[in-house]
Amino acid sequence: MARYYIDLINGHGLVLDDVGQEFTSRESASREAVHVLPEIALDEAKDDAGLSISVKVRDESGQYFFEANLSLVARWLD
């Protein structure tokens, strides 16, 4: 198994994962990144202004190989 790192890009910039997790493949790491993205969004959403976050997955050498983005646009209609 190899160690992969899921970094977060939010309104405050890049937040590096300095611990990482072991996965059996790049595909497993990318699935986990997609899975945790909505959970991170729930923690990040603090008001009605909307949200845009990304996660980027890198391998042990530091090479990014996967990215997932999530955007929420929230606005009053009246």
Side-chain angles (χ1 to χ4, degrees):
M1 292 213 303
R3 185 164 293 274
Y4 296 96
Y5 302 85
I6 302 173
D7 298 334
L8 169 67
I9 303 165
N10 61 15
H12 303 290
L14 177 65
V15 180
L16 292 175
D17 174 0
D18 57 358
V19 176
Q21 299 177 61
E22 289 188 344
F23 294 98
T24 57
S25 66
R26 290 168 29 127
E27 291 77 15
S28 296
S30 67
R31 280 193 299 273
E32 178 64 13
V34 170
H35 178 77
V36 300
L37 194 52
E39 295 173 13
I40 295 169
L42 287 173
D43 290 338
E44 294 282 319
K46 294 183 174 61
D47 55 33
D48 297 346
L51 169 71
S52 179
I53 60 171
S54 300
V55 289
K56 292 176 80 171
V57 185
R58 57 187 161 90
D59 60 21
E60 292 174 306
S61 72
Q63 181 70 38
Y64 285 110
F65 64 88
F66 183 81
E67 180 178 23
N69 304 296
L70 183 75
S71 295
L72 169 69
V73 176
R75 63 178 177 256
W76 292 99
L77 297 177
D78 57 352

